[in-house]
Amino acid sequence: MKRRTLLSSLALAPLAIRAKNTTQSTLSDRGTFAIDTNRVRFFNSAIRERFSILFVADTHLFIDDARGEPYRQYSARMAKAYNQTKHFQTGEPTNPEKCFQETLAIAQKEKVSLVALIGDIMSFPSEAAVDWVSQQLKTVNLPYVYTAGNHDWHYEGMSGSATELRDTWTKKRLSPLYQGENPLMTVREVNGVRFVVIDNSIYEILPEQLAFFRKEVATGKPLVLMVHIPLYAPERGMGFGCGHPEWSAKKDRNHELERRQRWPEAGHTEVTMAFHKEVMKAPNLLGVFAGHTHNQSLDVVNGLPQIVTNPNATGAYLKIEFVPQTR
């Protein structure tokens, strides 16, 4: 889905996000939020004490070893897609491994309460990459949560539906990163804020995921939703493909390049559209965070901010701070 180069993606980032001035919006039931480049702050009376997390997506690690030899016909394109990148702040040459390590070092220095790894940390389901990521996380010894993106489990050209392939490679390769939790949905609570993580890497939402989200909304506690693929927002393209009303086979321009099954002719399921609708009206949802597009952006729909991060393959991340709001 990401056909722009990383450099052009950064150049096209919205001015409000890139600027040094703070962008702030008042939300009716959610307090306020502010953005300064890659720093996001939420101010809410339900937040008990100040804390921060680091949000990371799209590292696109291509580490592999002899164990991946039988799968080279499926991993070849993505194995060379992000070998050399340019740092999102300095423009200097870098690479995904260095960026991931530097990001974890920042998380450790900032003493964040959670590291959120939200999809496409790997470019394909390499055992060597999973082992390397696991070791890096063990070294920094910080709480983390992981969910897959559309590349983490995808060996291009391998037969099977997206649902089948995700299930297969989640179990065979990605399972160590889930720490025994449900790969499709999980939640972490930090100082009264609940971080709801849902795998929408096949662009669709399953009935059990919708039920899970509804249950979290019913708690009445402040929530933050994290998904790899952004939710549809007005005038956004197919990169915002979860709940997009035109998402369908007719709009799928990359299935041949990515060697995967074409999107369904009928478009999204009713469950996916219901999920999108309920997210946008959830009164205790502070914000939605996503990756996938390799383009930092902000949309506010019904007072709900959705913030998409630049790719960690360029060293990018979002530091998200939660601040008690006093009157």
Side-chain angles (χ1 to χ4, degrees), residues 87-108:
H87 195 274
F88 81 114
Q89 290 175 323
T90 67
E92 294 297 319
T94 188
N95 62 73
E97 289 177 54
K98 182 179 179 181
C99 289
F100 190 76
Q101 289 177 315
E102 289 177 347
T103 301
L104 289 185
I106 291 168
Q108 194 171 39

Side-chain angles (χ1 to χ4, degrees), residues 33-65:
F33 73 93
I35 299 177
D36 304 273
T37 56
N38 64 323
R39 178 192 182 200
V40 182
R41 286 173 291 161
F42 288 101
F43 306 87
N44 193 288
S45 57
I47 297 170
R48 298 198 295 256
E49 60 182 271
R50 188 174 192 132
F51 69 97
S52 62
I53 72 166
L54 228 63
F55 182 90
V56 180
D58 302 293
T59 311
H60 284 287
L61 294 163
F62 54 89
I63 302 166
D64 207 1
D65 60 18

Side-chain angles (χ1 to χ4, degrees), residues 64-77 155 259:
D64 207 1
D65 60 18
R67 291 173 291 178
E69 183 63 37
Y71 304 95
R72 293 285 158 79
Q73 61 176 311
Y74 307 116
S75 64
R77 185 180 76 91
Y155 270 131
R259 294 191 296 160

Side-chain angles (χ1 to χ4, degrees), residues 53-282:
I53 72 166
L54 228 63
F55 182 90
V56 180
D58 302 293
T59 311
H60 284 287
L61 294 163
F62 54 89
I63 302 166
D64 207 1
D65 60 18
R67 291 173 291 178
E69 183 63 37
Y71 304 95
R72 293 285 158 79
Q73 61 176 311
Y74 307 116
S75 64
R77 185 180 76 91
M78 289 306 297
K80 57 188 177 183
Y82 298 98
N83 299 43
Q84 188 79 23
T85 59
K86 291 186 177 181
H87 195 274
F88 81 114
Q89 290 175 323
T90 67
E92 294 297 319
T94 188
N95 62 73
E97 289 177 54
K98 182 179 179 181
C99 289
F100 190 76
Q101 289 177 315
E102 289 177 347
T103 301
L104 289 185
I106 291 168
Q108 194 171 39
K109 181 181 178 181
E110 297 285 341
K111 299 180 180 178
V112 300
S113 298
L114 183 69
V115 176
L117 306 175
I118 309 299
D120 285 1
I121 305 303
M122 280 76 66
S123 277
F124 50 91
S126 159
E127 287 177 274
V130 172
D131 289 349
W132 187 85
V133 170
S134 297
Q135 183 57 50
Q136 301 306 309
L137 292 168
K138 183 178 180 181
T139 299
V140 297
N141 193 30
L142 288 170
Y144 75 91
V145 64
Y146 164 81
T147 194
N150 54 303
H151 284 286
D152 290 280
W153 48 262
H154 186 208
Y155 270 131
E156 295 185 344
M158 191 171 283
S159 62
S161 70
T163 302
E164 293 167 342
L165 291 171
R166 178 175 66 174
D167 182 64
T168 295
W169 294 103
T170 292
K171 291 175 180 175
K172 280 189 174 183
R173 298 287 170 77
L174 306 178
S175 58
L177 297 175
Y178 292 104
Q179 305 168 88
E181 298 177 16
N182 189 329
L184 295 178
M185 52 204 170
T186 190
V187 64
R188 294 291 183 88
E189 183 166 325
V190 181
N191 294 333
V193 178
R194 292 178 70 79
F195 295 90
V196 180
V197 181
I198 291 179
D199 182 343
N200 68 344
S201 61
I202 61 171
Y203 294 82
E204 298 273 37
I205 297 296
L206 302 179
E208 57 266 37
Q209 293 174 312
L210 177 57
F212 181 79
F213 179 73
R214 286 172 172 168
K215 185 178 178 181
E216 287 302 319
V217 173
T219 66
K221 293 184 176 182
L223 308 178
V224 172
L225 176 63
M226 297 180 175
V227 289
H228 179 65
I229 296 173
L231 306 187
Y232 168 70
E235 297 197 354
R236 293 293 187 185
M238 288 299 139
F240 289 65
C242 191
H244 197 296
E246 296 182 12
W247 185 86
S248 64
K250 185 171 65 174
K251 293 290 185 176
D252 189 357
R253 296 185 176 91
N254 293 313
H255 72 285
E256 291 183 354
L257 174 67
E258 297 176 353
R259 294 191 296 160
R260 56 169 170 77
Q261 191 177 57
R262 198 167 190 172
W263 296 339
E265 292 284 347
H268 278 309
T269 63
E270 291 183 8
V271 170
T272 299
M273 298 307 290
F275 175 77
H276 183 277
K277 182 179 179 180
E278 293 189 30
V279 167
M280 294 304 166
K281 70 178 185 180

Side-chain angles (χ1 to χ4, degrees), residues 276-297:
H276 183 277
K277 182 179 179 180
E278 293 189 30
V279 167
M280 294 304 166
K281 70 178 185 180
N284 52 327
L285 187 58
L286 300 181
V288 179
F289 288 87
H292 185 59
T293 68
H294 290 206
N295 233 346
Q296 189 167 329
S297 61

